[in-house]
Structures are given as C-alpha cells and as structure tokens.
Amino acid sequence: MRGHGLGRVVAAVCLAGALTGCGVIGTVGRAAEEAMADPAVITEDAPFKGSPSEGFAEGIAGIEVPEAEAVGRFPAKDVRAAYKVSRRLLEAAYLDEQSLLGGKPEAYARLLDPEQRKFFLKNLDHKDEKKDTRAWVFSFEPGTTELVGDAVKVKGRLSAAPGKDKEVGPLLVVTYEARFVYAVRPAGKTGPIVRVMAYTKSRHEFWRDEPGGRLRHWEGDSVDGWNAGVECDSPGRFHRPDFRSEGGGDGPLQDAYADGEAPMEEGECGSVEEI
C-alpha cells in the first residue's frame, strides 16, 4: 500500500489559473463574447480555425513521448512501459467520450492499479466535493453538452525522473503536462459552438513491491491544472461550458496558451483572452 494514502490530491482552483474541479474561465470583452456566441465564427466544419489549438495534433497523438532511457535503478524498458501507461491513462481521463459526457469513467478505472481503482470507484460522484474522485477525469455535466466533430486538439509532453517513497522505496516518476481543447455545443442543439480547454500538470508514480515483481503505477498528486471556457459555478466536479459567454471570472486576464502564468488561490476564478 502506498504510504501517502489512496487518493489523488486535486485542488479546486479556477483559472485564469485553476485546478481541475472548479468551473473556470470565461472569455472577456464584447468582441470576444460575440465571437464565442456566434456559431458563424466557430463553425461545425472547422471548429478550431483561428485558434492557437488549430496547430495542435488530434487526440492522444498530441502527447509527445521522449525516447526511453534508464532512470535511476529503472532500466529503459521500464521507462518505456511507464510512458505507455501514462499515455493510456491520459487518453482515458481526457479523451474517452463516455467519461467526457458525464458517464461512468470505466475505461479510466480499468487502467488504475487495483488498490487505487477501488478507492476511485468508491468515491466517484461523492456528495462531498473534497472526496469526489470525478475530479481525476474531465467530464461535462451530464445532458448539457455534445462534442462537435471527432477531433479533440491536444498538446502535451511526458518526462521521467527518479523519486522515492518512504513505504515502497525507489520510484520512477512520469510527469505529464498537457492542454486538451474541445469544440462543444449544447446537447441536442446546433449552436452556439464554443471551445473549452483543460490544462493539467501532474505525475504518475511507478514502483515494484519486490525485485522482479510487476511494475505498479499510481496517480500522483496534481501539480497544477485549470479549465477554460466553462462556467465558474459549474456543479461539483462536473464542468458546464459557458455557452452564454457570461464568464464570471474576476481575476486578471490571462493567456490560456501561455506557460508560466501566476498561480491562483484555491476556489478563485479568472478570465482568459481566447481559447
């Protein structure tokens, strides 16, 4: 059993710099509001046109995987296997349609270590938001949203480094950082079409209980994360796109595509220029 507990710590902070779980950022300014509300601007045929995300790859292909090299006492084949697991976990957490539309995250749960899977499913959609493991994946509020087209634009990367846990000893830590951009519209309607972004930076931890044993993995604590283009008062750990362009953020205007923005306090909700 992992020494630091079964749960993944995900803070509820809202962007212009939010962590997963809080309704986030609206686009601000009259021109931006009109653009987001006008289906003629974001079209079904080219929903990412004119956005920085237009140049991102589609789907999990957008997650860059470096060449595997030995890390600490973990050989290159372990690092290669860990990258594969991390990539699959990200795909299930952010790209699985059933989970995205508010359904049960079955694909994601199947990939978890059995010990952590039990905890995840026990606390999924818990009434207490601090215990709710829905925050481990990205989900729109059920019945509110449908995806436009088959593409989700993705840009991210993996990296590996040695670590240590007081209970299990040496760790192989895979850090991931990624942006996922979705084109969505209200369920059952033709528009408006808007874009929503989920940003995440976190880690997966790998170890062996004994030499020669299987390589186990664990969802580590979140380092940073925020969601742009959703209402600041989205319910619980689900997200509700800001189809009305009302925003609600009162923090400083930030660039959703820029790295290194100033972090926000837990529960804070800010504003972004565009998605």
Side-chain angles (χ1 to χ4, degrees):
M1 178 180 290
R2 296 307 309 281
H4 58 261
L6 293 170
R8 176 188 180 195
V9 177
V10 182
V13 183
C14 290
L15 192 106
L19 285 182
T20 302
C22 199
V24 180
I25 319 333
T27 302
V28 298
R30 179 174 299 178
E33 290 177 358
E34 292 174 353
M36 288 189 68
D38 185 359
V41 175
I42 302 180
T43 67
E44 182 174 0
D45 292 338
F48 301 101
K49 186 175 182 179
S51 163
S53 64
E54 186 176 11
F56 289 7
E58 294 185 6
I60 199 62
I63 301 297
E64 297 180 9
V65 180
E67 183 177 351
E69 299 179 352
V71 172
R73 63 177 63 182
F74 295 91
K77 66 177 183 178
D78 283 349
V79 177
R80 189 176 302 110
Y83 283 153
K84 184 176 180 179
V85 170
S86 287
R87 207 162 177 257
R88 291 176 65 197
L89 281 165
L90 283 171
E91 183 175 25
Y94 290 90
L95 298 174
D96 178 71
E97 186 169 348
Q98 177 173 301
S99 181
L100 278 173
L101 299 183
K104 190 173 182 179
E106 295 174 325
Y108 176 79
R110 284 195 298 268
L111 295 173
L112 293 174
D113 182 271
E115 188 178 349
Q116 197 172 39
R117 182 191 306 131
K118 183 178 179 180
F119 178 88
F120 173 76
L121 293 174
K122 179 181 178 181
N123 292 283
L124 182 65
D125 300 332
H126 198 289
K127 292 182 179 179
D128 184 342
E129 287 188 26
K130 293 182 179 180
K131 297 180 179 180
D132 185 7
T133 53
R134 174 67 65 169
W136 296 17
V137 300
F138 186 84
S139 297
F140 295 109
E141 183 184 6
T144 65
T145 307
E146 67 182 37
L147 301 174
V148 176
D150 298 324
V152 175
K153 292 290 192 170
V154 180
K155 185 176 183 180
R157 58 185 178 270
L158 306 178
S159 62
K164 191 174 183 180
D165 181 270
K166 63 180 181 181
E167 292 291 332
V168 303
L171 296 175
L172 167 59
V173 179
V174 174
T175 298
Y176 58 87
E177 181 176 15
R179 285 174 170 82
F180 299 84
V181 185
Y182 311 91
V184 297
R185 60 188 167 202
K189 298 182 179 180
T190 58
I193 298 173
V194 301
R195 288 185 289 264
V196 170
M197 179 190 290
Y199 168 84
T200 182
K201 183 177 183 180
S202 191
R203 51 192 268 164
H204 295 133
E205 300 169 354
F206 298 81
W207 79 99
R208 285 188 169 88
D209 290 329
E210 57 186 11
R214 69 182 179 89
L215 190 65
R216 296 182 63 183
H217 61 272
W218 208 256
E219 278 280 12
D221 295 347
S222 176
V223 177
D224 191 11
W226 43 259
N227 309 296
V230 301
E231 296 178 5
C232 285
D233 60 351
S234 290
R237 296 298 194 173
F238 289 101
H239 305 289
R240 188 161 48 201
D242 185 17
F243 293 120
R244 297 171 296 176
S245 302
E246 292 183 348
D250 54 7
L253 187 65
Q254 297 199 33
D255 182 354
Y257 291 90
D259 294 325
E261 295 283 7
M264 297 180 68
E265 299 296 327
E266 183 171 350
E268 194 172 359
C269 186
S271 301
V272 292
E273 294 175 332
E274 67 170 330
I275 301 170

